[in-house]
Amino acid sequence: MDFLVLFFFYLLLMLTVVLLWCVCSRIHCLKGLVGEGTQVISRLIPECLQRCVQRWLHYLFHTRNHTFIVLHLVLQGLVYTEYTWEVFGYCQELEFSLPCLLLPYLLLATNLLFFVLSCVTDPGTVTSATEPAFLQAYRFDDVMFPKNARCPTCDLRKPARSKHCRVCNRCVHRFDHHCIWMNNCIGAWNVRYFLIYLSTLTASATTVAGLSAAFLVQVVIFSDLYLETYTDERGQPQVVDVIFLAQYLFVLFPRIIFLLGFVLVISVFLGGYLCFALYLAATNQTTNEWYKARQVPCQCCHPQVKPQAFQNIHNRGVWRNLHEVFLPAAHDEKKK
């Protein structure tokens, strides 16, 4: 069992590195660095292996598939299996509050509900039937979204704030991004479900991390480990420090330590992304618009190119912006 925990832990680290590489490769200022790194690696790896990796990366990140949905459910299953198997039972023995111990399960149920809603809800596909209504939803700024622009793939007029998703092969109203974990685009009609999903997932990871850490702290306190001494390799008595406590707890509860480390890392990443997503919602921006607004040519490399000024003309205040995100039907009805 410990081997499986180690295997999945390092698999998660590798997956995180791949995702971070994909994000960095989209940043304009880092494209040159990524390109140079790719050239160096291409000289060391056989061409057949490169083609195989490219096919797999294209399948994973540029085609609709259920790989990351399955991976998402497997990871949640592993975390909650370990939590139920060890943390929950040990915390009951230490007389932790039962509502606190059951809170992760409530968050899990809510999270799975909004995960399903985010996956199956139409994000706002632009079709010949919905095109007239979507064209009236937002004003064109003639900078990022020019008037009378047409999508060459869908052969439809592009409403303001829409974008054609190459993965789903459709234009999406108020396009935010394509989420591989949902196997779906995040747009006007499902961004509210996505935000609640992200909030409950962050809260779930943070709660599991807090309960696991609280259990380990109680173990240290009840056993008076912090008052003990130990003999080092030179035969000298030493006071127990944090490093020794961590090593000792790892020997006693290796799976709980790995669980705590994993959910702590996930909590930090999810918390940062949640703050960014809420900032975009509060300022009435999408991830696509935020990225395009900052995709300015480097003045050192292209001094002759003058960046276009972009202003967020859709920002109407925090409460109105959040109302538009969480009640899009009421917003579109008001526009009509």
Side-chain angles (χ1 to χ4, degrees):
M1 183 64 186
D2 292 340
F3 172 78
L4 290 176
V5 172
L6 282 170
F7 173 76
F8 280 109
F9 179 75
Y10 287 113
L11 178 64
L12 291 171
L13 288 179
M14 293 295 294
L15 180 61
T16 304
V17 171
V18 171
L19 291 177
L20 289 176
W21 178 85
C22 293
V23 171
C24 292
S25 64
R26 297 188 55 134
I27 300 177
H28 181 79
C29 296
L30 296 180
K31 282 185 178 180
L33 181 61
V34 174
E36 292 177 2
T38 304
Q39 292 179 0
V40 173
I41 294 175
S42 64
R43 297 174 183 175
L44 303 176
I45 301 177
E47 187 175 350
C48 59
L49 182 58
Q50 292 183 42
R51 289 197 298 267
C52 181
V53 171
Q54 289 174 356
R55 283 195 297 267
W56 271 103
L57 290 177
H58 181 270
Y59 171 76
L60 290 175
F61 298 104
H62 299 285
T63 61
R64 296 198 71 181
N65 61 84
H66 296 86
T67 304
F68 286 95
I69 291 181
V70 174
L71 180 60
H72 176 280
L73 297 176
V74 168
L75 293 179
Q76 276 195 321
L78 288 172
V79 168
Y80 273 87
T81 298
E82 176 58 26
Y83 172 77
T84 304
W85 185 17
E86 289 196 302
V87 178
F88 186 89
Y90 287 143
C91 288
Q92 273 192 315
E93 294 178 5
L94 294 176
E95 298 181 352
F96 275 56
S97 172
L98 186 59
C100 291
L101 295 179
L102 295 178
L103 180 59
Y105 298 107
L106 176 61
L107 292 171
L108 175 64
T110 307
N111 177 257
L112 290 177
L113 171 63
F114 285 97
F115 176 73
V116 173
L117 288 174
S118 301
C119 292
V120 302
T121 302
D122 179 15
T125 304
V126 181
T127 63
S128 55
T130 60
E131 178 188 14
F134 288 155
L135 285 172
Q136 301 297 324
Y138 295 104
R139 289 185 297 155
F140 294 90
D141 59 6
D142 293 324
V143 176
M144 189 177 296
F145 302 104
K147 200 172 185 179
N148 298 322
R150 298 188 69 86
C151 176
T153 305
C154 300
D155 195 25
L156 296 169
R157 285 187 61 190
K158 296 185 66 173
R161 311 189 76 181
S162 67
K163 184 181 183 298
H164 183 86
C165 177
R166 295 181 180 180
V167 180
C168 297
N169 194 27
R170 59 182 174 182
C171 285
V172 177
H173 175 52
R174 201 181 185 276
F175 178 86
D176 190 89
H177 69 285
H178 179 86
C179 182
I180 57 175
W181 298 99
M182 306 289 179
N183 193 29
N184 195 12
C185 290
I186 304 301
W189 300 116
N190 65 349
V191 65
R192 49 182 172 170
Y193 302 139
F194 177 76
L195 288 175
I196 299 175
Y197 154 80
L198 191 59
S199 302
T200 53
L201 186 62
T202 305
S204 175
T206 304
T207 304
V208 172
L211 289 171
S212 302
F215 161 70
L216 295 174
V217 170
Q218 290 297 318
V219 169
V220 173
I221 293 175
F222 286 163
S223 60
D224 292 332
L225 280 174
Y226 60 96
L227 300 176
E228 300 293 336
T229 60
Y230 69 97
T231 304
D232 60 14
E233 62 275 6
R234 294 176 297 180
Q236 299 296 324
Q238 299 289 339
V239 178
V240 170
D241 54 9
V242 176
I243 296 177
F244 180 85
L245 285 176
Q247 294 174 345
Y248 183 79
L249 291 174
F250 178 78
V251 173
L252 290 179
F253 311 104
R255 290 183 293 271
I256 295 180
I257 294 296
F258 275 115
L259 173 67
L260 177 59
F262 173 65
V263 292
L264 277 178
V265 173
I266 291 298
S267 299
V268 171
F269 279 101
L270 288 176
Y273 183 52
L274 176 62
C275 292
F276 173 69
L278 292 176
Y279 161 75
L280 293 180
T283 56
N284 208 331
Q285 298 182 77
T286 64
T287 304
N288 177 55
E289 293 166 357
W290 181 88
Y291 174 73
K292 282 185 174 181
R294 283 148 185 81
Q295 199 175 12
V296 179
C298 178
Q299 295 299 302
C300 298
C301 303
H302 306 280
Q304 72 281 3
V305 179
K306 295 182 179 180
Q308 290 181 297
F310 170 74
Q311 294 182 349
N312 183 10
I313 63 175
H314 306 293
N315 188 354
R316 301 183 302 146
V318 174
W319 296 114
R320 289 186 179 183
N321 293 338
L322 294 177
H323 182 272
E324 179 181 328
V325 169
F326 288 96
L327 295 173
H331 165 74
D332 288 351
E333 195 66 30
K334 184 177 179 181
K335 284 285 185 179
K336 293 180 183 178

